[in-house]
Amino acid sequence: MSRLAERFGISGNGLAKLCDRFEVPYPPRGHWAKKQAGKPVSVSPLPRPSGDLPRVATIRPSPPRPEHVAALPPPAPVPIPPISIPAQLDRLDARVQAWVTNHKREQARREKANRLPRQSWDWAALLPDLTERDSYRLRITSAFLKAAEQLGIRIEDIKASGRMTLTVKGHKLDCILTEKMRKGFGKADGWTAWPDHHNSALHPTGRLRFTIRTWITSGETEWVEGADRPMASLLPDILQAIVGAGAILTRQQQEREAEARRQEQRRAEQEERRRQREQEQRQWAAFREATQRWDEHERLCAFLAELRARLTAEGDREVGERLLSEWISWAEHRAAELDPLAHQLDGFFQAISRVS
């Protein structure tokens, strides 16, 4: 049972259950040992099926067990380098410094344009200076970028609005460091030189917020500073979470790939079942067609036997450049082509099995 079950892709116990269900006898325990030792053994004949029990059972391989993705241990804390927050806007990270430089350059351009005779095509509103909140956010952003790169985190893209794309262990991570906003009445003016970076219907809270926008299955993804928790003290926790997110994203990718393989396996099994159903339908159609050929063959044989009898009684003669006996031989040859059992029983079912 175990060897035969292996050929079907199922367990020996599963094959035994199928045999019990369809009333198929199989050797009892110790049968093969007795036979190998030369002791007499009995073989139970296959009984006729009882009741509505089907005469055919299709055995399909057992589906593979779901692929197990081993749980990852919690990431070990990494040493965070000292994080220094610049006191002024003169020792910033080069990318952040470029925002400040571009803002000043645009300020100067607009001031110069507005000193000239006003023209509708070159006049623009003056830009305010960077505010204290802008300065604070830029200094925190600069410190974050420098510390992140020291940990091997790549800064793929970062914008003055605070949106950034990081690469951690080969995975993209979308984050944002910006002012936390709240609902309020009226329009909040004057608190930032970049109002376009924020929802104009909301008011600033005076607190920064760092958010990991990429979906990860575990771990903290948002940090908001408070009176007793300035953003500078939260940066080590944020960096630890970003480094740990690399392992989490790796696990998520493995789970997605495992699920994709399971779906592909299910699709393959469904396709195989569909193919087997279609093949069985075509084989059954070929079988029914063979019965029709058999009926026609039997009628032709009976008719040809009558022709032979009349040939004996009436004698042979030429009709249409052939003798009557030659016409009957020609018809017998054509009738034989319709016989589905011309190649015996095994040949008949061999032809049925080749239908696909």
Side-chain angles (χ1 to χ4, degrees), residues 98-114 122-129 193-194:
W99 303 339
V100 178
T101 301
N102 292 338
H103 181 76
K104 291 181 177 179
R105 186 180 296 119
E106 182 63 17
Q107 268 188 318
R109 188 193 71 80
R110 293 193 183 190
E111 289 177 359
K112 180 179 179 181
N114 279 277
D122 62 5
W123 181 85
L126 297 178
L127 282 181
D129 293 333
W194 286 310

Side-chain angles (χ1 to χ4, degrees), residues 279-292:
Q279 181 176 10
E280 187 173 353
Q281 290 171 358
R282 292 191 177 99
Q283 289 173 337
W284 180 240
F287 184 89
R288 295 179 61 188
E289 181 183 352
T291 62
Q292 295 173 1

Side-chain angles (χ1 to χ4, degrees), residues 27 79 85 98 141 190 215 231 239 259 274 322 336 355:
I85 310 298
T141 303
W215 180 76
M231 184 56 69
L239 291 167
E259 178 60 25
R274 183 197 62 79
R322 284 186 183 181
V355 176

Side-chain angles (χ1 to χ4, degrees), residues 68-240:
H68 177 68
V69 180
L72 292 176
V78 297
I80 303 297
I83 300 175
S84 175
I85 310 298
Q88 302 295 330
L89 295 181
D90 54 355
R91 301 186 64 181
L92 301 176
D93 176 87
R95 288 155 291 200
V96 181
Q97 190 67 57
W99 303 339
V100 178
T101 301
N102 292 338
H103 181 76
K104 291 181 177 179
R105 186 180 296 119
E106 182 63 17
Q107 268 188 318
R109 188 193 71 80
R110 293 193 183 190
E111 289 177 359
K112 180 179 179 181
N114 279 277
R115 286 196 297 268
L116 299 174
R118 182 171 297 181
Q119 302 290 336
S120 60
W121 58 84
D122 62 5
W123 181 85
L126 297 178
L127 282 181
D129 293 333
L130 295 175
T131 66
E132 182 181 351
R133 294 304 302 168
D134 292 330
S135 173
Y136 177 59
R137 182 173 66 86
L138 296 179
R139 291 185 288 113
I140 292 292
T141 303
S142 175
F144 169 80
L145 295 179
K146 291 182 179 180
E149 289 184 324
Q150 290 181 20
L151 292 172
I153 302 171
R154 289 179 54 189
I155 314 299
E156 298 291 345
D157 183 43
I158 184 166
K159 294 181 169 53
S161 62
R163 296 179 180 272
M164 63 187 80
T165 302
L166 315 176
T167 297
V168 187
K169 295 184 178 180
H171 299 283
K172 300 288 186 182
L173 204 64
D174 291 329
C175 305
I176 184 169
L177 174 60
T178 187
E179 182 82 12
K180 179 176 172 59
M181 307 297 288
R182 63 176 176 83
K183 292 182 178 180
F185 298 99
K187 190 175 181 180
D189 292 325
W191 71 276
T192 177
W194 286 310
D196 294 340
H197 295 170
H198 307 276
N199 188 337
S200 60
L202 301 178
H203 289 235
T205 62
R207 294 177 292 164
L208 289 181
R209 175 173 61 186
F210 189 97
T211 307
I212 299 177
R213 300 167 65 88
T214 300
W215 180 76
I216 56 177
T217 55
S218 61
E220 195 172 359
T221 59
E222 185 172 271
W223 296 262
V224 180
E225 65 179 349
D228 57 340
R229 293 198 316 164
M231 184 56 69
S233 68
L234 296 177
L235 288 181
D237 292 341
I238 295 172
L239 291 167
Q240 287 281 7

